[in-house]
């Protein structure tokens, strides 16, 4: 079982629920607004979660104004 901080746990749970159709594309700002966090808090944790999350696959997908993350439910 992967150990998460409280914020990481909330982010992973949100991504798992939001990508319940199998996959989804997210920006840190959108996740942050849903969870009452800042985009900086979320953006700093997503690369770490991409490495250690087992429940969802998080992939840095594209970058225009801000990074888009592709999330696939494992």
């Amino acid at each position: 079982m992967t150990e998460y901080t409280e914020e990481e746990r909330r982010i992973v749970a949100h991504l798992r629920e939001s990508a319940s159709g199998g996959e989804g594309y997210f920006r840190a700002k959108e996740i942050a607004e849903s969870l009452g966090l800042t985009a900086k808090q979320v953006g700093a944790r997503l690369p770490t979660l991409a490495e250690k999350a087992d429940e969802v696959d998080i992939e840095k997908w594209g970058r225009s104004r801000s990074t888009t993350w592709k999330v696939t439910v494992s």
Side-chain angles (χ1 to χ4, degrees):
M1 182 77 184
T2 304
E3 293 293 323
Y4 297 118
T5 65
E6 177 62 24
E7 287 178 353
E8 289 174 340
R9 185 192 59 73
R10 290 175 57 204
I11 293 167
V12 169
H14 175 77
L15 293 174
R16 193 174 50 240
E17 291 171 17
S18 298
S20 61
E23 72 178 27
Y25 296 86
F26 304 93
R27 294 188 178 196
K29 181 179 178 181
E30 297 164 349
I31 299 166
E33 288 173 355
S34 297
L35 298 176
L37 300 171
T38 67
K40 189 172 184 176
Q41 287 173 304
V42 174
R45 285 166 179 77
L46 285 173
T48 302
L49 288 172
E51 295 292 322
K52 71 179 190 178
D54 295 327
E55 300 89 346
V56 292
D57 293 323
I58 302 170
E59 177 184 351
K60 191 173 189 175
W61 189 252
R63 182 167 174 82
S64 54
R65 289 181 160 187
S66 62
T67 302
T68 300
W69 298 87
K70 179 182 177 185
V71 177
T72 308
V73 178
S74 301

